[in-house]
Amino acid sequence: MTRKKVSEVCVREETSPLLRDVNMTMPPTCSGLLCLSLLLGTSRLVSSVQVVTSGQQNISLNGKWTLENSNGSLSLPAEVPGCVHTALLKQAYIQDPYYRFNDVAHGWIALDNWTYTNTFTVPSDMRAKQRVMLVFEGVDTISTVSLNGAAVGQTDNMFLQYDFSVGALLMEGDNVLTVSLASPVRYAAQRSEAHSYRVPPDCPPEVQQGQCHVNYIRKEQSSFSWDWGPSFPTAGLWKGVRLEAYDVLRVVHLATVPVYNQTSSGWSLRVELQVEVAAAEVTRGQLTLSLPGLDTRQTFPVRFLPGRTRNTYTLHVNTSGPVELWWPSGHGEQPSHPLTLQGVLGPGLTFTADTKVYFRTVELVQEPVPGSPGLSFYFRVNGKAVFMKGSNWIPTHSFQDLVSPAGVRSLLESAVAANMNALRVWGGGVYQQDLFYSLCDELGVMVWQDFMFACALYPTEEDFMDSVREEVRQQVRRLKSHPSVVLWSGNNENEVALATNWFGIPGPERPLYVKDYVKLYVDNIRALVLEEDQSRPFLASSPTNGLASERQGWVADDPYDPRYGDTHYYSYGRDCWDWSAFPRTRFASEYGFQSWPSFSTLQKVSAPEDWSWDGPFSSHRQHHAEGNRQMLEQAGLHYHLPNATDPLRRYKHTLYITQVMQAQCVKAQTEFYRRSRSEVVGGKGHTMGALYWQLNDIWQAPSWSSIEFGGKWKMLHYFAQRFFAPVLPVGFEDGVSMVMYAVSDLSVDLNLTAQVSVLSWSRPDPVCTLSSPATLVRGNSATPIFRQPVDALLKGCGNCTRRSCLLAFHLEDPHGARWGPANHHFLCSPRDAEGIEAPHITAEVRGDGERGYTVTLRSASVAPFVWLDAGDVPGRFGSNGFLMASRSREVGFVPWAPTSAEELGRALTVTSLRDVY
Ligand code: BMA
């Protein structure tokens, strides 16, 4: 066994100026990433770490509390973790907040103040401990905490864990703990009023039916409403509460960060152990770190100073053998390496920790691009350029206590099933729970992590900044062990809000706001991130020009410049089939189109009188001004709009057509970005990322999501599975020519031909077929593979015209093996197509719970956008929303809950484009 040099660094932590006599620790939900146990004691979780401290005693204060409003007219039991809304719901004081118009009807809840009370006893041996800490893993948001009538402290940031030292206040017998929560809406209004100048926006657009001044409160920004979400300004104890009593020390936090040394080609592991020592003297002992799989082990002395200290140990990894690296999904495996910590701290106090470590490097590459005036913008993982494919993640529920682990897992698995390798945790929501990041580690999902600031300017007075600084420290420490997190990003769209003056700030006042912007994101957030974690890149905003924005004082003239950084691009009015309208960007981190969720999802929160496109429910749920009109206008460019005489049928068809429009629009845009990865045209291109807006929903409403509230895939998600495939044929028209590219995210080179079938709309057999010469398609490239004038192509093929025929194509190697999914190209809008017949598709369901289910479809003619909907039967189809160009087709169905062929058959509906008019 080789012994390597180990270094130890001990840094005394400054107590946050935010709260006196209050220490802050990490939100302690265990993810299994790191499991530390101090033997012979009580187990507890410290930021993904399971800790057992000898002599330490913990009492959970989760469970039943009581809840009262300000005038005492309401008093009810309330579950912790939880919030006022869910407590009221559980006790049947209110109806389902998501039902119909209840978001507005329940608006009074957020205007009142609420007090949570818990009465508990503490054993005498626990009270006798040197220190007893009252730990709140998360308080939403503005509160005063009292124990037995004495003030303990205050909270003002939902994203912090609060630790209060309460030993002296505990009594024999009943102890009464109260948390008095102020109305978040009134608090935000007061803060805004007290501020010496306006910090816009004041209020959200009226269509969102939301609350004002959310930027003044450190709370989920979308909880005051968003353009896809309701206004539920929650209040509550949204994470766990407990007492921790100890005599010697407690572990506050443990993090591991692998560091690669380019010069020596070696790895070291930074192990950070934050401890709190109760005694007035130094606690000494020994710590052994070992990576058994990598033949690496070292013991060294430890000295923990009194108070809270952060101790860093650098373990040099023995690299005589290979270190298996963590890769993003599609680029390799995600191997973890067990790490053991063994500590001995004086007589009787020992601890062990079993954790997982993943090794990978990540860089954000911004360097000159040959033939282009700008800079590149792409992620290099383990030295390899990786095209980021994925979407943006928003809060999965308005009430965080109702977010289930199964729901999080289902969404992440759905992302990977759709060939995504990246998600951006968007800055208007919440830092996700540990489980989210652990699953991303395991699944190979790269996380672009925003800090929680979005679409607004922010105040920068001292108490606000103190709170933000603590938030950044805690969140970075909590998340930095995760290989999935590849980027810290300061905010969502706040650079562009300033640059393009969204809020109408008069010219002379602009410097004041720019100064605030730089103070918040650069002088504070960025500085802290660099101090806490240099193992991954930091970006101040999204969209941004990156280094070019920095050179312009962090606010670029045009942060949307496609030659630098990332872009967000939305255009609802322009024809989305016209790819020339899309920005040829370095990196598309947001773009998208709205659609409505399926009928089965809406039915749960609506009444029959709501089931019409023009009714009050449809406009109530639409929080994006003119959204419903825009969807149908965009759809109307290419499809006949539904015209059934039966109102319910027409309504359902309208929901369907919005999903067709959305899927096809996002497909067109994503294929453009993917095929632009290898070329620079007019100085633009070299696109290395496509993260469409947005993955998931917060409630049952129209939005940009590809997955509905509840987990059901929209048509877009099935499209994403194809348009994000590792190898993909992309077809488009360039001037007079039909062009095809082969896009490959594989590392190997391929020799491929495009196999093209010209189909007639009127019958399911190819009119003719042709193939391109074999072309070398390099790994990680987009390569032109086929080009022919459309006229010539059609002329050589029977009586085909643009209106009567369409193209289907796929990629093949010289051995006839197919690479990637089939694709197709419409030569005219389906609206104008000649010969589309009603396909009269029939469906037959076979199978059982063990083998899964198969749906056999039979069609009389070519049918575009064939949509199978299993209603309320949860699960997903093997393929959906497809072009049916054969007389029969089998489609698999994977149920997510027990069902039967009969049940699935009863629930199943099949719709295709020709069925809606
Ligand atoms: C971007 C996002 C979100 C918004 C979306 C759709 O601005 O960052 O704020 O929901 O576009 O409008």
Side-chain angles (χ1 to χ4, degrees):
M1 176 144 321
T2 341
R3 295 216 160 201
K4 293 279 179 180
K5 201 179 124 243
V6 176
S7 49
E8 179 198 7
V9 180
C10 173
V11 180
R12 188 182 309 260
E13 291 283 283
E14 272 178 43
T15 307
S16 161
L18 182 65
L19 293 160
R20 273 165 292 114
D21 196 25
V22 170
N23 297 309
M24 307 210 176
T25 63
M26 306 303 301
T29 347
C30 187
S31 63
L33 176 69
L34 299 165
C35 279
L36 174 73
S37 60
L38 286 156
L39 293 178
L40 311 167
T42 319
S43 157
R44 84 169 180 88
L45 303 168
V46 177
S47 159
S48 315
V49 185
Q50 182 77 38
V51 178
V52 187
T53 313
S54 59
Q56 178 170 330
Q57 273 179 277
N58 299 340
I59 294 183
S60 167
L61 299 179
N62 292 348
K64 283 269 170 301
W65 292 47
T66 57
L67 179 62
E68 215 175 73
N69 64 344
S70 56
N71 66 9
S73 60
L74 286 170
S75 178
L76 57 146
E79 201 72 36
V80 170
C83 69
V84 175
H85 286 87
T86 52
L88 289 168
L89 175 65
K90 207 160 183 191
Q91 297 304 315
Y93 281 98
I94 58 169
Q95 268 191 335
D96 177 2
Y98 281 179
Y99 187 67
R100 302 195 74 202
F101 308 89
N102 281 347
D103 53 320
V104 169
H106 293 351
W108 60 272
I109 298 169
L111 298 177
D112 209 343
N113 303 327
W114 296 86
T115 300
Y116 276 84
T117 305
N118 189 13
T119 306
F120 58 93
T121 56
V122 182
S124 55
D125 57 336
M126 188 164 172
R127 277 184 287 119
K129 295 281 179 199
Q130 282 291 316
R131 292 200 98 181
V132 186
M133 305 299 294
L134 172 60
V135 180
F136 290 91
E137 295 169 9
V139 180
D140 177 15
T141 294
I142 307 302
S143 84
T144 304
V145 181
S146 308
L147 182 58
N148 297 325
V152 162
Q154 294 183 328
T155 71
D156 67 0
N157 188 328
M158 170 187 191
F159 307 122
L160 290 186
Q161 171 163 316
Y162 289 88
D163 289 16
F164 303 107
S165 179
V166 295
L169 296 175
L170 290 170
M171 303 191 304
E172 199 185 337
D174 281 353
N175 289 272
V176 180
L177 174 62
T178 61
V179 182
S180 302
L181 293 153
S183 153
V185 174
R186 293 192 196 282
Y187 172 86
Q190 284 155 10
R191 290 292 296 217
S192 138
E193 218 155 278
H195 203 267
S196 52
Y197 52 94
R198 189 180 159 241
V199 184
D202 297 322
C203 298
E206 211 156 313
V207 65
Q208 288 179 205
Q209 299 161 85
Q211 299 294 345
C212 306
H213 306 299
V214 72
N215 46 348
Y216 282 93
I217 179 170
R218 289 312 297 145
K219 169 177 177 58
E220 176 188 325
Q221 298 290 281
S222 60
S223 67
F224 277 37
S225 83
W226 213 260
D227 59 3
W228 36 255
S231 171
F232 285 115
T234 47
L237 300 171
W238 71 297
K239 296 189 176 187
V241 186
R242 66 175 176 273
L243 287 172
E244 285 187 20
Y246 66 99
D247 283 322
V248 184
L249 78 102
R250 66 172 186 145
V251 175
V252 178
H253 174 64
L254 173 63
T256 57
V257 180
V259 181
Y260 185 68
N261 184 322
Q262 210 88 41
T263 327
S264 67
S265 303
W267 286 95
S268 57
L269 187 68
R270 237 177 99 91
V271 177
E272 293 172 14
L273 196 60
Q274 190 181 26
V275 294
E276 199 173 75
V277 171
E281 61 274 4
V282 174
T283 302
R284 290 168 207 279
Q286 281 196 330
L287 178 68
T288 303
L289 301 177
S290 78
L291 284 160
L294 293 169
D295 208 13
T296 299
R297 178 188 166 90
Q298 180 67 52
T299 301
F300 45 88
V302 294
R303 278 174 77 246
F304 297 136
L305 303 178
R308 198 150 56 113
T309 56
R310 199 144 57 108
N311 307 271
T312 307
Y313 311 97
T314 305
L315 176 63
H316 296 275
V317 177
N318 180 2
T319 37
S320 58
V323 175
E324 287 192 314
L325 302 178
W326 181 94
W327 288 98
S329 177
H331 292 269
E333 303 294 309
Q334 295 78 39
S336 63
H337 302 264
L339 170 75
T340 306
L341 283 86
Q342 288 180 309
V344 181
L345 300 169
L349 187 62
T350 59
F351 66 83
T352 63
D354 291 302
T355 87
K356 280 192 223 169
V357 179
Y358 297 85
F359 292 90
R360 64 109 186 81
T361 60
V362 61
E363 300 150 89
L364 176 57
V365 184
Q366 300 182 70
E367 57 190 24
V369 178
S372 168
L375 295 174
S376 68
F377 188 94
Y378 67 91
F379 290 85
R380 195 151 60 194
V381 179
N382 300 328
K384 180 184 173 190
V386 173
F387 190 106
M388 264 199 187
K389 299 183 291 191
S391 186
N392 286 267
W393 178 281
I394 64 157
T396 59
H397 207 296
S398 291
F399 309 115
Q400 283 295 316
D401 50 297
L402 298 185
V403 174
S404 73
V408 173
R409 179 180 280 277
S410 156
L411 281 171
L412 290 174
E413 286 178 351
S414 289
V416 173
N419 289 308
M420 296 183 180
N421 61 21
L423 291 172
R424 169 166 172 253
V425 176
W426 168 77
V430 297
Y431 304 97
Q432 293 297 300
Q433 51 177 296
D434 290 337
L435 173 72
F436 172 91
Y437 301 95
S438 297
L439 288 173
C440 288
D441 294 345
E442 286 167 24
L443 294 166
V445 176
M446 293 178 280
V447 176
W448 169 316
Q449 180 66 52
D450 279 3
F451 287 95
M452 295 299 132
F453 302 87
C455 303
L457 306 183
Y458 284 85
T460 58
E461 60 263 39
E462 260 337 276
D463 64 339
F464 187 88
M465 294 303 298
D466 285 343
S467 190
V468 167
R469 276 194 287 268
E470 189 56 29
E471 171 187 330
V472 173
R473 258 185 231 115
Q474 288 196 11
Q475 295 300 336
V476 173
R477 287 177 189 177
R478 179 171 71 99
L479 302 181
K480 67 177 159 186
S481 305
H482 294 280
S484 52
V485 177
V486 296
L487 176 75
W488 301 114
S489 180
N491 66 70
N492 174 71
E493 297 185 342
N494 299 352
E495 180 186 342
V496 84
L498 263 180
T500 61
N501 205 5
W502 286 5
F503 308 122
I505 291 165
E509 291 173 28
R510 190 173 184 270
L512 173 70
Y513 292 96
V514 172
K515 199 166 140 246
D516 276 352
Y517 178 91
V518 173
K519 179 177 175 185
L520 179 56
Y521 303 109
V522 183
D523 300 343
N524 281 277
I525 295 182
R526 177 172 178 270
L528 272 169
V529 170
L530 293 183
E531 204 178 293
E532 290 288 338
D533 179 23
Q534 288 165 16
S535 74
R536 44 177 73 76
F538 174 88
L539 207 60
S541 187
S542 173
T544 181
N545 292 347
L547 290 176
S549 284
E550 281 184 41
R551 285 200 286 265
Q552 289 195 291
W554 301 92
V555 180
D557 294 338
D558 174 20
Y560 292 123
D561 189 333
R563 299 163 308 166
Y564 298 93
D566 64 328
T567 56
H568 296 186
Y569 177 81
Y570 296 93
S571 174
Y572 309 114
R574 290 184 76 148
D575 178 359
C576 77
W577 287 28
D578 175 11
W579 57 264
S580 70
F582 303 135
R584 206 181 271 277
T585 173
R586 304 289 187 219
F587 194 110
S589 46
E590 276 193 28
Y591 56 98
F593 293 84
Q594 278 202 332
S595 72
W596 273 78
S598 62
F599 182 71
S600 65
T601 295
L602 291 168
Q603 203 177 7
K604 296 183 182 73
V605 290
S606 58
E609 69 249 46
D610 299 328
W611 301 335
S612 78
W613 184 256
D614 303 316
F617 178 77
S618 291
S619 47
H620 178 80
R621 291 265 158 169
Q622 174 56 270
H623 281 196
H624 167 63
E626 303 298 325
N628 289 346
R629 182 183 57 75
Q630 287 165 351
M631 275 185 261
L632 290 194
E633 274 179 19
Q634 182 65 240
L637 296 175
H638 299 291
Y639 318 107
H640 286 290
L641 296 181
N643 63 0
T645 44
D646 173 54
L648 183 57
R649 207 171 139 75
R650 192 165 66 243
Y651 178 64
K652 289 180 178 174
H653 285 165
T654 308
L655 305 179
Y656 162 84
I657 206 78
T658 66
Q659 290 205 18
V660 169
M661 176 279 291
Q662 179 199 33
Q664 184 71 12
C665 284
V666 179
K667 172 184 191 274
Q669 201 164 348
T670 308
E671 290 186 346
F672 171 72
Y673 293 138
R674 288 198 68 190
R675 74 169 156 89
S676 299
R677 73 171 285 165
S678 304
E679 48 184 36
V680 171
V681 179
K684 298 172 197 163
H686 206 295
T687 307
M688 285 299 285
L691 309 178
Y692 65 76
W693 185 264
Q694 67 202 65
L695 180 75
N696 57 307
D697 266 340
I698 196 167
W699 71 335
Q700 307 87 343
S703 84
W704 295 255
S705 78
S706 64
I707 301 181
E708 301 177 3
F709 181 81
K712 188 170 178 173
W713 289 20
K714 286 180 174 175
M715 194 179 295
L716 171 57
H717 208 74
Y718 288 100
F719 270 51
Q721 193 171 39
R722 298 194 286 267
F723 64 59
F724 280 145
V727 177
L728 178 73
V730 173
F732 62 100
E733 288 182 51
D734 188 9
V736 296
S737 292
M738 182 67 213
V739 180
M740 289 175 196
Y741 276 43
V743 181
S744 169
D745 293 341
L746 304 182
S747 302
V748 292
D749 298 343
L750 297 169
N751 211 8
L752 297 175
T753 61
Q755 301 290 331
V756 185
S757 303
V758 184
L759 305 174
S760 150
W761 283 111
S762 59
R763 66 195 151 86
D765 314 288
V767 184
C768 59
T769 59
L770 52 156
S771 60
S772 70
T775 305
L776 176 66
V777 178
R778 294 249 178 242
N780 296 296
S781 82
T783 308
I785 190 168
F786 177 98
R787 179 179 281 269
Q788 213 180 97
V790 176
D791 282 353
L793 198 158
L794 291 177
K795 227 174 251 153
C797 192
N799 295 324
C800 269
T801 66
R802 276 185 169 274
R803 289 182 176 225
S804 68
C805 291
L806 69 155
L807 306 180
F809 49 93
H810 65 268
L811 299 169
E812 261 180 40
D813 69 15
H815 311 291
R818 279 187 179 223
W819 288 83
N823 207 339
H824 55 265
H825 176 77
F826 299 131
L827 293 162
C828 68
S829 297
R831 197 189 51 187
D832 304 322
E834 287 162 6
I836 300 193
E837 300 293 336
H840 303 294
I841 296 173
T842 61
E844 189 191 323
V845 183
R846 276 179 295 114
D848 54 46
E850 257 162 52
R851 288 173 293 132
Y853 299 92
T854 305
V855 182
T856 305
L857 299 175
R858 291 199 172 72
S859 174
S861 57
V862 173
F865 304 105
V866 175
W867 181 242
L868 285 74
D869 188 331
D872 277 330
V873 179
R876 68 174 171 91
F877 293 95
S879 183
N880 213 346
F882 45 79
L883 173 74
M884 185 147 173
S886 54
R887 290 190 160 77
S888 83
R889 176 165 178 159
E890 292 203 333
V891 181
F893 179 79
V894 181
W896 290 338
T899 184
S900 64
E902 293 68 41
E903 187 187 33
L904 182 57
R906 267 196 309 276
L908 185 69
T909 57
V910 183
T911 309
S912 80
L913 198 62
R914 188 60 191 86
D915 299 324
V916 308
Y917 61 94

